[in-house]
Amino acid sequence: NAGVTQTPKFRVLKTGQSMTLLCAQDMNHEYMYWYRQDPGMGLRLIHYSVGEGTTAKGEVPDGYNVSRLKKQNFLLGLESAAPSQTSVYFCASSRDSDIQYFGAGTRLSVL
Amino acid sequence: SQQGEEDPQALSIQEGENATMNCSYKTSINNLQWYRQNSGRGLVHLILIRSNEREKHSGRLRVTLDTSKKSSSLLITASRAADTASYFCATVTYNDYKLSFGAGTTVTVRA
């Protein structure tokens, strides 16, 4: 079982460039989440989804968009990257309000 | 805003000693969870305690919950070098499924 897989693992962007982070889960979970983690801070929720075709804003959604076209995939997009978006991004999935399963993270640097 | 706050921010102990960290939160919760994050890795779920529970054990882990004080503690007994990690508490409020994380406690276990 792969669990939650994030691609890519590392990425360097220039200011203004765009990119998409992919999250895939093989546990048939309804709920999926995107977080960012900055030094000395816990995880902050960017966007989440409660099922295929649905998305909702989290705590820090500005500058990001998401899509959940297939139940197993949750995409996070940055249309015009900014240095403030330099962070480690984590995807997670869950069956309900209990345990969340996390991917290994994507380290993004925006220069 | 983040719901939980961990204390202390950092903890250094000798192998074999116990490690205790605390989490305080602001609003009523459905459940509280503890996660571990090893350096450069994703978060791993450790234990979940529901609002109607006061104590829970899992191996060398003991979690307590005091809803009247809106606080929880995580005790790791007989620590090992492999316990070196950051530990995060996360809360789920009623009628919700999103986790709200604290900033974490960094635990270093010295050999």
Side-chain angles (χ1 to χ4, degrees):
Chain A
N1 276 346
V4 179
T5 304
Q6 291 183 234
T7 53
K9 289 183 170 48
F10 303 94
R11 188 71 186 269
V12 178
L13 290 178
K14 293 181 179 178
T15 297
Q17 286 185 320
S18 63
M19 77 162 295
T20 300
L21 282 66
L22 172 64
C23 176
Q25 53 97 0
D26 62 2
M27 296 173 282
N28 201 35
H29 285 165
E30 289 293 335
Y31 303 99
M32 295 188 74
Y33 314 83
W34 276 107
Y35 296 91
R36 61 178 289 173
Q37 184 178 34
D38 299 297
M41 298 184 71
L43 275 67
R44 291 183 293 169
L45 184 64
I46 304 171
H47 285 282
Y48 62 99
S49 169
V50 301
E52 182 179 317
T54 74
T55 62
K57 294 180 180 179
E59 183 185 352
V60 288
D62 293 342
Y64 305 95
N65 57 75
V66 288
S67 64
R68 182 105 181 263
L69 298 179
K70 293 183 179 180
K71 185 176 184 178
Q72 63 268 34
N73 295 337
F74 195 29
L75 278 62
L76 178 71
L78 286 72
E79 290 187 347
S80 179
S84 61
Q85 295 177 305
T86 293
S87 190
V88 182
Y89 291 85
F90 288 98
C91 176
S93 70
S94 67
R95 179 174 57 88
D96 48 32
S97 63
D98 287 358
I99 301 167
Q100 290 191 14
Y101 296 84
F102 285 81
T106 295
R107 288 187 176 276
L108 175 65
S109 291
V110 183
L111 305 178
Chain B
S1 62
Q2 293 181 310
Q3 161 85 303
E5 292 185 8
E6 286 94 340
D7 173 62
Q9 289 186 329
L11 183 59
S12 180
I13 56 174
Q14 202 75 27
E15 204 165 22
E17 292 181 337
N18 295 342
T20 300
M21 60 210 84
N22 304 297
C23 171
S24 59
Y25 57 91
K26 298 171 186 172
T27 60
S28 295
I29 59 170
N30 179 319
N31 67 71
L32 184 145
Q33 305 178 31
W34 285 92
Y35 287 79
R36 183 188 73 228
Q37 183 180 34
N38 292 93
S39 182
R41 308 290 292 271
L43 277 71
V44 175
H45 181 267
L46 294 177
I47 197 164
L48 179 153
I49 187 164
R50 301 193 187 279
S51 60
N52 60 352
E53 298 175 311
R54 291 298 168 257
E55 188 171 312
K56 211 163 180 181
H57 296 256
S58 176
R60 295 183 295 112
L61 304 179
R62 172 178 171 254
V63 169
T64 61
L65 179 64
D66 187 333
T67 53
S68 67
K69 295 181 180 179
K70 291 186 171 60
S71 67
S72 173
S73 67
L74 171 66
L75 168 67
I76 305 172
T77 60
S79 63
R80 306 167 180 168
D83 295 327
T84 293
S86 292
Y87 293 81
F88 295 89
C89 72
T91 55
V92 179
T93 55
Y94 286 100
N95 300 317
D96 203 353
Y97 36 79
K98 301 187 295 293
L99 290 174
S100 180
F101 285 88
T105 294
T106 300
V107 175
T108 303
V109 181
R110 306 185 308 271

